Amino acid sequence: MATQAAFAVRFPQLARPGRGHGQGQPATRVAVRGGRAAAAAARGVRCRAGGLIEPDGGRLVELVAPEEGGRRAALRREAAALPHRLRLGRVDTEWLHVLSEGWASPLRGFMRETEFLQALHFNAVRGADGSLVNMSVPIVLALDDAQRRAIQADGATTVALVDAHDRPVAVLSDIEIYKHNKEERIARTWGTTARGLPYVEEAITNAGDWLIGGDLEVIEPIKYNDGLDQYRLSPAQLREEFARRNADAVFAFQLRNPVHNGHALLMTDTRRRLLEMGYKNPVLLLHPLGGFTKADDVPLSVRMKQHEKVLEEGVLNPESTVVAIFPSPMHYAGPTEVQWHAKARINAGANFYIVGRDPAGMGHPTEKRDLYDADHGKKVLSMAPGLERLNILPFKVAAYDTKHNKMNFFDPSRKEDFLFISGTKMRSLAKNRESPPDGFMCPGGWKVLVEYYDSLAPPEGSSKPREAVAA
C-alpha cells in the first residue's frame, strides 16, 4: 500500500486540500451564440458555493425552458407551429438530455461546423478568450438530403425536434447545416473504420449525410418513465446534494458493469487517501453510464438494482456515496471518449476522477485483440487540454486474493496467489449459475446478476435463448 508521502510525490497536485476546487480561479469566458443563447446564458447557474469546482466556462448551461413567466408553454406552442420537424432517435434523445442539463457546458446546442471540427481535430473547443474547454466527442444531429433540401428551400432558421410519437420536445434555432463526413468522423473518433463498432452501427452508419447545429431550447426536463428517473440527477442537482452533504472533495467513478468488491476496494481506498491528504468529507459519485450500451453489456435497470444491493449490504457507505445515472450514450472510443467522461463530471462538481485499465475500451471488432492500449486512457487524461483543473487518480489493479479470500490490490511478489476475474468471466459464471469465490461480490448483488441471466434462458421446450438487447 502506497504511503501518503509516496502518493504525494507521485501526484504532487493532490498534496494539499483546495487544489482544483476552483476557489480563487477566474471564470473561463466562452463564446456566446446569439438569439436564444442570450436567454439561456441568463439562466446559467454559477456554482462556486460550497467550494465545488466551477463548471467549464464558469457556469452550467441549462437549456430547459423555465416554467416561470410562461416560457415553457410559449415554446411548446412555437414548436407545434413550426413547419419543419426533425424526429429524434434514441441516441439523439440521450444527447438532447446531456445538452439540456449542462453536462456538455459550455455547449448551447448541437454542434455547428466550427465546434464539430474543433472537437474532431483538437478534442477541445476554444472559448472567446482563447482558453480550451475539453470536448472530445462530437455532439451532433444528423438529417437526410430530403430534410436538408426542404429546410433550405424555405430559408428556415428554426426547426422543431420531436420524439418518436411526433410530440415536440425542443426547438433548434439560428441553425447551420453542413456535411456529415462519416468516414472522417469515425476514423478520428475510434482510430479505425473497421466494421462492428457498436455506436457507429447504432447511430452513424444509417444516419443522414448532413448535420444540423444551432441554439437549443428544450421544452421540459427529459424523463424516461422507466422507474429510474429518480437516479437521473442533473449537474445542478448533484452540486446541491454535494453541498448538502458538506463535501469538500468529490471523486467520481464511472462504470458500465456491476460493482464487485474490487471496484469497492478502489473507491474506499481513494476516500482513505483523500482523508489522509487533509480533506474532511470526500464524497463518492458512483456514476454508472445510462445511455446506449452494446447488447452484451448488463442493462441499466439490472445494474442499478445491483448497485442498490451494494449500498444495502454496506459494501459502500451510503453516507459518503451518491449514486446517480450519467445519461450519455457509450461510444467505446477508449482514450478519446474517456476525456468526455471526465469533462462531464467537472460540470457535476467532481474535482477527482478515478481512471483504471482501458477506460471506455473494447475488443477490436474484427480481430482478437484490444482496440486500444490499456494504459493510454490514463496517460491521455493526464495531458488532455481543458482538463488541467481535474485531478486524475489512476488506480492500482485489484484481483481476487486466494490466500486471503477477498478482493485485494495485486501484489506481484506473490502473483501466484491472485485470480483475475474479467467481466467476461463474471458474466459466464452468472449465466451458468456458478458461484464466484467468496468475497468477489456481495451476495445480494450476485443474486441480481444471476436472476438477470436466468431471465435470458430459453423458454421451456425451446432451444433458442432469449436475446439481450442494447441497454
Side-chain angles (χ1 to χ4, degrees):
M1 192 71 66
T3 65
Q4 180 181 358
F7 187 73
V9 169
R10 189 176 179 194
F11 303 109
Q13 73 272 30
L14 307 183
R16 63 186 186 277
R19 168 46 166 94
H21 280 216
Q23 295 172 331
Q25 298 178 12
T28 303
R29 296 191 302 276
V30 296
V32 178
R33 294 168 169 174
R36 296 176 191 275
R43 298 197 302 275
V45 180
R46 286 198 174 273
C47 298
R48 302 279 302 254
L52 296 178
I53 188 172
E54 282 197 335
D56 281 334
R59 67 173 69 236
L60 282 176
V61 178
E62 297 181 286
L63 301 175
V64 178
E67 287 190 284
E68 298 80 8
R71 178 57 194 157
R72 189 172 294 179
L75 185 66
R76 186 176 284 107
R77 291 192 297 271
E78 178 186 349
L82 286 169
H84 297 286
R85 302 156 77 88
L86 301 180
R87 181 169 293 168
L88 301 178
R90 172 192 169 173
V91 172
D92 299 328
T93 301
E94 291 169 356
W95 284 124
L96 182 80
H97 185 177
V98 164
L99 289 166
S100 72
E101 294 184 339
W103 294 101
S105 296
L107 291 186
R108 301 192 178 279
F110 288 103
M111 289 178 171
R112 293 188 175 90
E113 188 174 36
T114 55
E115 295 164 323
F116 172 71
L117 291 175
Q118 289 178 74
L120 207 59
H121 291 266
F122 310 138
N123 287 172
V125 294
R126 192 175 294 280
D129 65 350
S131 62
L132 287 174
V133 174
N134 194 274
M135 194 65 249
S136 63
V137 297
I139 301 180
V140 293
L141 182 61
L143 71 166
D144 60 29
D145 284 328
Q147 292 168 322
R148 176 188 65 88
R149 286 194 299 268
I151 291 169
Q152 292 182 336
D154 287 350
T157 60
T158 304
V159 298
L161 306 183
V162 302
D163 64 15
H165 304 287
D166 211 33
R167 293 180 297 226
V169 294
V171 168
L172 196 66
S173 65
D174 195 15
I175 60 173
E176 177 184 332
I177 297 175
Y178 55 101
K179 189 68 178 175
H180 187 189
N181 189 334
K182 297 180 185 179
E183 184 177 22
E184 182 185 18
R185 178 185 174 190
I186 295 166
R188 288 191 175 274
T189 303
W190 283 270
T192 181
T193 55
R195 293 185 179 275
L197 297 167
Y199 184 94
V200 172
E201 294 189 346
E202 176 73 17
I204 298 179
T205 300
N206 296 318
D209 293 330
W210 302 89
L211 298 174
I212 182 169
D215 297 329
L216 183 67
E217 195 169 8
V218 180
I219 295 173
E220 59 187 13
I222 304 299
K223 300 295 181 186
Y224 297 80
N225 300 313
D226 58 356
L228 299 175
D229 282 332
Q230 74 272 19
Y231 287 109
R232 293 186 175 94
L233 302 180
S234 70
Q237 290 171 324
L238 284 169
R239 286 173 172 272
E240 289 173 2
E241 180 61 20
F242 298 144
R244 188 187 70 79
R245 297 190 186 210
N246 296 314
D248 60 352
V250 176
F251 59 107
F253 187 77
Q254 171 179 298
L255 70 172
R256 64 176 194 271
N257 288 306
V259 174
H260 58 61
N261 290 352
H263 296 135
L265 174 65
L266 297 167
M267 290 180 269
T268 54
D269 188 65
T270 298
R271 188 170 196 273
R272 178 193 63 77
R273 290 186 291 171
L274 293 174
L275 288 168
E276 287 182 353
M277 281 186 270
Y279 291 95
K280 301 300 182 185
N281 188 30
V283 171
L284 165 66
L285 172 59
L286 178 58
H287 213 202
L289 187 135
F292 164 80
T293 56
K294 54 191 175 69
D296 61 348
D297 281 349
V298 177
L300 177 62
S301 59
V302 178
R303 285 184 277 132
M304 294 307 296
K305 187 176 180 181
Q306 194 268 349
H307 296 354
E308 289 173 357
K309 295 297 181 183
V310 168
L311 291 178
E312 287 175 12
E313 298 185 22
V315 178
L316 292 173
N317 183 357
E319 296 301 314
S320 57
T321 304
V322 174
V323 181
I325 293 172
F326 179 44
S328 175
M330 187 75 189
H331 279 65
Y332 305 90
T336 297
E337 184 176 17
V338 74
Q339 297 174 65
W340 158 242
H341 294 165
K343 171 254 172 41
R345 276 37 180 253
I346 291 176
N347 288 330
N351 53 334
F352 292 88
Y353 186 78
I354 303 174
V355 60
R357 182 188 180 278
D358 198 22
M362 61 171 281
H364 193 284
T366 60
E367 302 173 17
K368 290 186 177 181
R369 61 179 177 88
D370 287 341
L371 185 54
Y372 306 106
D373 186 294
D375 292 325
H376 282 182
K378 61 186 178 185
K379 290 179 179 179
V380 165
L381 280 186
S382 70
M383 303 180 288
L387 295 183
E388 296 84 0
R389 298 181 300 136
L390 185 65
N391 299 305
I392 305 302
L393 299 175
F395 59 63
K396 292 182 289 183
V397 175
Y400 187 76
D401 188 339
T402 59
K403 188 173 182 179
H404 295 95
N405 297 320
K406 66 177 184 177
M407 296 298 287
N408 211 342
F409 290 120
F410 177 67
D411 182 353
S413 69
R414 53 183 187 91
K415 58 184 179 182
E416 65 281 357
D417 293 334
F418 286 88
L419 176 65
F420 287 88
I421 302 175
S422 66
T424 301
K425 177 63 175 177
M426 177 185 69
R427 290 189 291 269
S428 176
L429 290 172
K431 288 176 184 176
N432 295 320
R433 299 184 63 85
E434 297 178 38
S435 297
D438 288 342
F440 172 74
M441 184 183 290
C442 65
W446 185 253
K447 182 180 178 183
V448 168
L449 201 56
V450 170
E451 288 175 349
Y452 162 65
Y453 283 110
D454 277 353
S455 73
L456 299 180
E460 193 171 338
S462 171
S463 60
K464 185 178 181 182
R466 295 185 176 95
E467 291 186 1
V469 296

